[in-house]
Amino acid sequence: MSEKPWAGRFNLPTDKFVEEFNASIYFDKRLYKFDIKGSIAHATMLSRQGILEESEARAIVAGLEQVLEEIENGQFEFNIADEDIHMAVEKRLTEIVGPVGGKLHTARSRNDQVAVDVRMYIMYEAETVKAYLINLAKVIVDKAVNNLGVIMPGFTHLQTGQPILFSHYLMAYFQMFKRDFQRFNDMMIRANYCPLGAGALAGTTFPIDRNFTASQLNFYGPTENSIDSVSDRDFVIEFLSAASITMMHLSRFSEEIILFSNQDVNFISLTDDYCTGSSIMPQKKNPDIPELIRGKTGRVYGSLVTMLTIMKGLPLAYNKDMQEDKEPLFDAVDTILASLKVFAPMIEKMQVLENNTKNSASKGYSTATDLADYLVRKGVPFRQAHHIVGKTVAYAIEQDKKLDELSLDEMQMFSKLISDDVFNYITLEASVNSRNSYGGTSAESVMTQIKLAKSFIDENI
Ligand code: ARG
């Protein structure tokens, strides 16, 4: 068994299972690129500060580049005995460049090293999530533009409320994904500080230049407190929190896709390439993809709760508990990216069944509010108008008629103020287009939303 770099004070080799239990290499190897990048910046800084000879730093950097190459070519052998990615890289470096490789860890600890690696990883993945979010936002806006005339029922309590444009409904999701994008931006603003140089917890005796290292790695600057630098995982929690909220939005959207593709609702149809069948019922075309996304939401919430629980009550500074941050984080990254990746084209391709949405909107007295507003414009106080229309609807239900199927005489039984112009107000189209308030469902208002959405996308693509 190879001797551990920390084994100086030990009299017994590590127990085999302890070694396995303690190791993180089989998952933290995912950080290799950031680990090597961080080490190159560190070595460069050490030589600039005269802490390493220039030739030593050159050898170390070349060695690190070779390690990177070996990993990327699949030649690198990951070994449980190396414990984690940091020690594995350093060990290989030393094999390549000799004892000078041991100088890389001057003025550094694995505690600040892992913190910088995870920060770089999160900055990178948050950027990827943002790109996926913008892509989805674009799909939604295009879909809204292409379906601008489609009317559907808008629901509250999952009961028909008022008719709305399908595009207006879609643009509600645009707003959610826009906020998600901004949330990832916000968390990146706080994550973007470099903990490298904090050492184990108290700083270092060497004359390092943390500003230089930070700028080499594209951080805004160094973190301000060495104790906090090695014990903080807020950036993981904030990432997982933003990811959880995004998944919650995807899950709500998914739920509606599932509901809307039910035979009795039948508002939309997913394309065959985004559905699966049943092994027993030949007629089935199941919306497995939105169902899976709805389910995977639980997984990402799980990661967030895992992380909050790991950090709860941890004394300062670094504790090994924090090694448990990586698997939930990696799993959440994989889950949110896969979900966004599959969701966007599914929405892009889905077919909107315009006749069905409109037919559904025409049921359920969705223009009753329009009739009440009509009476209000004739001087009736809204509460009274509400009551009159309630009676009218009850009568229509009894007669098994839609609101606009009542004759003028029938309507006038409830208010003499109703005249034959009422029929200009209680059609679906009139109802939708009269809701012209800012943010409302009229085609004009939705176009305003779309215009703003397009400029948001253009600014952030
Ligand atoms: N594998 C460790 C982690 O992921 C790296 C830091 C270990 N530091 C230590 N002092 N044991 O947190």
Side-chain angles (χ1 to χ4, degrees):
M1 188 194 307
S2 67
E3 168 133 307
K4 308 284 184 217
W6 40 251
R9 58 102 72 215
F10 286 78
N11 292 321
L12 283 177
T14 316
D15 174 88
K16 208 68 212 129
F17 185 63
V18 167
E19 186 170 86
E20 223 175 277
F21 187 77
N22 188 49
S24 54
I25 183 126
Y26 54 94
F27 53 83
D28 68 16
K29 61 184 177 195
R30 197 194 273 228
L31 297 172
Y32 74 90
K33 212 181 282 179
F34 306 105
D35 194 73
I36 291 173
K37 216 175 148 201
S39 289
I40 290 175
H42 183 66
T44 310
M45 179 278 291
L46 289 177
S47 97
R48 264 174 61 104
Q49 297 302 104
I51 303 165
L52 285 188
E53 300 289 337
E54 238 174 79
S55 60
E56 294 173 325
R58 246 198 318 270
I60 288 173
V61 170
L64 286 167
E65 277 161 357
Q66 185 181 327
V67 176
L68 179 65
E69 227 177 88
E70 288 178 5
I71 295 177
E72 304 216 303
N73 296 339
Q75 298 163 327
F76 193 95
E77 217 185 289
F78 292 99
N79 191 340
I80 283 276
D82 293 332
E83 200 172 314
D84 57 26
I85 185 64
H86 324 296
M87 293 196 345
V89 169
E90 190 185 320
K91 184 181 137 197
R92 181 70 192 125
L93 170 71
T94 307
E95 283 169 10
I96 297 168
V97 303
V100 67
K103 293 199 173 189
L104 170 62
H105 215 51
T106 313
R108 184 176 80 169
S109 141
R110 271 188 295 156
N111 299 350
D112 53 344
Q113 193 179 353
V114 71
V116 77
D117 288 6
V118 178
R119 281 193 196 236
M120 282 192 275
Y121 169 77
I122 280 194
M123 290 299 291
Y124 176 82
E125 294 296 4
E127 209 47 76
T128 314
V129 173
K130 276 169 54 191
Y132 280 37
L133 279 168
I134 281 290
N135 174 53
L136 175 57
K138 210 171 150 328
V139 164
I140 289 172
V141 169
D142 289 346
K143 201 82 185 165
V145 169
N146 293 334
N147 290 281
L148 205 55
V150 178
I151 292 177
M152 71 181 278
F155 301 108
T156 60
H157 313 265
L158 204 52
Q159 304 285 314
T160 296
Q162 292 165 343
I164 55 174
L165 287 182
F166 186 77
S167 306
H168 191 212
Y169 158 79
L170 282 178
M171 290 305 290
Y173 282 102
F174 168 83
Q175 294 298 327
M176 294 177 233
F177 296 123
K178 172 183 166 185
R179 288 194 297 273
D180 291 336
F181 181 94
Q182 292 168 330
R183 247 183 295 275
F184 280 101
N185 256 347
D186 291 347
M187 61 92 14
M188 289 171 81
I189 290 170
R190 281 178 295 281
N192 199 16
Y193 289 89
C194 184
L196 200 57
L201 82 157
T204 173
T205 55
F206 294 96
I208 59 172
D209 181 353
R210 293 192 55 208
N211 278 299
F212 176 80
T213 324
S215 78
Q216 285 283 293
L217 297 173
N218 295 318
F219 287 104
Y220 294 148
T223 50
E224 290 171 26
N225 178 303
S226 64
I227 298 171
D228 178 57
S229 303
V230 294
S231 59
D232 169 36
R233 291 294 180 273
D234 288 4
F235 47 96
V236 179
I237 293 172
E238 285 194 51
F239 178 93
L240 292 173
S241 157
S244 293
I245 296 172
T246 301
M247 290 302 295
M248 179 266 289
H249 293 150
L250 285 174
S251 175
R252 294 181 76 172
F253 207 163
S254 292
E255 168 66 13
E256 283 171 341
I257 298 300
I258 295 161
L259 176 70
F260 291 174
S261 51
N262 168 276
Q263 288 77 359
D264 289 326
V265 182
N266 213 15
F267 286 180
I268 58 130
S269 168
L270 295 177
T271 49
D272 283 359
D273 51 347
Y274 278 76
C275 292
T276 54
S278 154
S279 54
I280 173 168
M281 297 169 281
Q283 86 286 8
K284 290 292 289 271
K285 176 175 144 184
N286 293 328
D288 295 40
I289 301 310
E291 290 173 88
L292 273 172
I293 292 173
R294 193 175 56 183
K296 284 177 191 289
T297 303
R299 230 171 130 136
V300 176
Y301 289 7
S303 289
L304 172 62
V305 174
T306 299
M307 209 41 219
L308 286 167
T309 312
I310 289 168
M311 297 309 290
K312 174 183 175 298
L314 269 196
L316 299 180
Y318 177 82
N319 299 273
K320 191 66 171 249
D321 314 44
M322 288 155 73
Q323 177 166 288
E324 290 291 311
D325 63 354
K326 287 165 206 67
E327 287 163 293
L329 173 63
F330 295 161
D331 188 71
V333 166
D334 292 343
T335 306
I336 189 176
L337 287 178
S339 301
L340 286 166
K341 182 176 167 180
V342 74
F343 196 81
M346 181 186 76
I347 296 299
E348 189 174 12
K349 292 174 157 199
M350 88 182 172
Q351 197 193 342
V352 186
L353 305 174
E354 182 170 358
N355 292 335
N356 298 348
T357 57
K358 186 167 178 188
N359 187 35
S360 170
S362 75
K363 294 185 235 166
Y365 304 92
S366 65
T367 60
T369 317
D370 299 274
L371 181 55
D373 286 353
Y374 170 87
L375 288 170
V376 167
R377 279 191 297 273
K378 301 237 163 168
V380 182
F382 182 78
R383 279 291 153 228
Q384 201 185 327
H386 185 286
H387 189 75
I388 293 168
V389 177
K391 293 277 181 211
T392 315
V393 167
Y395 172 81
I397 291 171
E398 219 177 79
Q399 302 295 312
D400 198 20
K401 286 180 174 176
K402 293 177 181 168
L403 209 51
D404 60 356
E405 287 169 354
L406 295 178
S407 69
L408 185 57
D409 284 346
E410 285 176 304
M411 288 209 208
Q412 284 177 341
M413 286 162 36
F414 302 95
S415 172
K416 293 289 170 221
L417 290 169
I418 300 177
S419 55
D420 61 3
D421 65 341
V422 72
F423 297 105
N424 298 332
Y425 294 93
I426 60 176
T427 64
L428 293 177
E429 287 78 7
S431 169
V432 163
N433 280 318
S434 60
R435 288 205 161 62
N436 211 9
S437 50
Y438 187 80
T441 202
S442 74
E444 201 184 318
S445 295
V446 173
M447 275 313 295
T448 305
Q449 292 178 50
I450 289 174
K451 228 174 106 189
L452 290 169
K454 281 184 168 169
S455 51
F456 180 83
I457 290 170
D458 288 343
E459 280 160 30
N460 290 294
I461 206 150

